[in-house]
Amino acid sequence: MTRLFGALAALTDVTITVRPGERRAVLGSNGAGKTTLFNCITGDFPPSSGTIRFFGEDITQFPPYERIRRGLRRTYQISALFPGLTVQDNVYLACRGVSRGRFSFLRPGQNDALMHATETLVQAVHLAGVKDQRVAELAHGQQRQLEIALALAGAPRFILFDEPAAGLSPTERRELIEILTSLPAHMGYIIIEHDMDVALRVVESVTMMHNGRIFKEGLPREIESDPEVQELYLGGGHE
Amino acid sequence: MSLLQSTQFRPDPSANATRRALLRAWPELQNPAAWLVALILVIMPLIANGFFLIEIFATTLILGVIALSLMFLAGYGGMVSLMQLTIAGFAGYMVAVFGMSGNANISLGWPWWLATPMALALATLFGTLGGALAVRTEGIYTIMITLAIGAAFYYFTNQNWAIFNGHTGINTVATPHFWGVDWRSDIAFYYVTLGVAAICYFAVQYVSRAPFGLALQGVRDNPRRMAALGFNPNAHRIAAYAFAAFIAALGGVLQVWNYRQISPGSVSVGACIDVLIIAVVGGITRPIGPFIGALIFVLLRTFALDVLIKLGLDGNRFRLLIGLGFLAIVFWSSDGVIGLWERWRRRSASSTQRSGGGRHG
Ligand SMILES: Nc1ncnc2c1ncn2[C@@H]1O[C@H](COP(=O)(O)OP(=O)(O)OP(=O)(O)O)[C@@H](O)[C@H]1O
Ligand SMILES: [Mg+2]
């Protein structure tokens, strides 16, 4: 697919195929088009041309929420949360968004199944201690954790993680890797990550992007040792 | 699903937990001031005479309900709609058109219990359609399109004689009589407005914590993310307009029963803006705000005239006073009178803490 912003081609003829359950990293220097690729897949911005298939279904014309209801999930590079609501309400909304009763006028009861799912998810990302705090008051690392929780709600079939480790402390990074590796085997994902240590530890394949094109695809160790990639990655001016 | 089953969540079934949940859901329950206000409102007919009961309190409650519908849209949905009074006026007109009035050539003469639901349904439909137009826009454009709808309706009522009876409007509108009670007599009508206002207030409060209300606040904070969670943001916005339209329509029915007449002046652009002023002055973050704003507005409108004349000024300048008050509130507090009140309370709380707990920093 191709995505243009005015005269700027953010993506040019990018084709990427991921098997169900596959875990892949997308690497590339700043402005390579990684986030744009995600935005096209989720429908935040439609591609200028090309098609998107999700488990065989053509979803190119679907609005974002229809894609999400089919099991696609994403996180945002810059946290996109609901600052006026509590942590619990944020996660509850994520659970509600992919189930029935989005328009329900009835408050959830004590034994509501979604309340249980919310509680479980909040604990899974280590935010149980701050669940009644407004998101605006959270530390950066906690907001990143919440960002991930929102993408794990319901029964995801495929998740797009956009730089989930950005700005995390070493401990928080370890927790992130733990969460990623403990995801059920059928949940595939694509992770955009500049930190090779994180990226290459949690994936089985790597796609390297440069200037809106796919530059190289392969196994993590092939990519790591590829001289062209190394030159580009370091020469690209990153870190 | 190893992740989702990794921890077990057990709700605490004790009565204590139920009590806590109840208090969290209805914080008013543990606020003695709220109980006091509720008590005073209930025994008001013992204290106040007919003038205060209707001209001040019933009128406040009616305007409060209409402004509450704007508070719901603006506070929880981030949508400033200037057509809420228009929806209320539309409902009022429909009560007069379907029900009985002095204009027998226009009114269809239905009994009130048929005319009222019809008016509520049509006004809700009207508000929903207007909302469907307005959600295509954002911010200032929402204000403009809803104001345009309000202005168009005002001019339409002025010029349409077949249904709206032009600039004379519809007079001596019949009000409900049943169970041997004239529900427009002062005390009965006061309790009707109090009941409707209380139901609307608690409904808004309740819905704000229900999935629909939470999702609306999510749409307000970040519509793009809401779509990435599986919500259709525009569908939620339109549903919010529908809910708010129903509340505004209830206010409109009460208003036409209150004045027993309706004319284009009731739905003028100035009146639309008054509703905005009421909501903003009271505060749009909580459902109590519009009622406080309405009380201030009604008190000023009723008494500023006398006060100004006593001071030797032109009595017709009460709007100037309201305007200045509006300016001052917006300038001092983005959250109206409730915001001022809360800031004052926090400051006095922290100052007593400081004087009690020694000084540092
Ligand atoms: N909404 C937009 N409007 C205009 N140009 C955009 C927009 N979003 C991205 N671009 C441009 O498209 C190109 C690719 O951006 P993209 O965000 O996809 O890069 P990235 O690979 O995610 O980079 P980073 O590592 O900095 O996140 C950049 O040149 C960027 O300036
Ligand atoms: Mg990016």
Side-chain angles (χ1 to χ4, degrees), chain A residues 50-62 67 70:
Chain A
T51 56
I52 300 153
R53 296 184 161 276
F54 187 63
F55 288 86
E57 187 179 14
D58 184 350
I59 58 168
T60 317
Q61 301 303 324
F62 286 11
R67 306 177 192 212
R70 279 167 174 71

Side-chain angles (χ1 to χ4, degrees), chain A residues 5 8 10 28-37 45 77 163 194:
Chain A
F5 289 115
L8 175 85
S29 48
N30 294 101
K34 309 180 294 294
T35 300
T36 305
L37 176 67
F45 312 137
Q77 181 172 359
E163 302 199 22
H194 283 305

Side-chain angles (χ1 to χ4, degrees), chain A residues 39 44 65 68-69 76 80 82 84-85 89 93 97 102 104-107 111 116 119-120 123 147 150 152 182, chain B residues 2 4 7 9 11 25 205-206 209-212 217-218 221-222 224-232 236 243:
Chain A
N39 283 333
D44 283 40
Y65 51 89
I68 301 302
R69 291 175 195 175
Y76 285 86
F82 309 107
L85 301 180
D89 288 345
L93 275 181
R102 295 177 199 95
S104 172
F105 272 56
L106 294 180
R107 287 183 184 174
N111 290 308
H116 291 201
E119 201 81 13
T120 311
Q123 287 179 9
E147 184 69 40
L150 296 194
L152 297 179
S182 70
Chain B
S2 66
L4 302 183
T7 45
F9 168 61
Q205 181 95 320
Y206 180 86
R209 305 285 313 145
F212 173 65
Q217 293 167 68
D221 282 359
N222 196 337
R224 184 173 162 198
R225 183 56 187 253
M226 283 302 276
L229 292 180
F231 291 93
N232 178 346
H236 267 274
F243 180 67

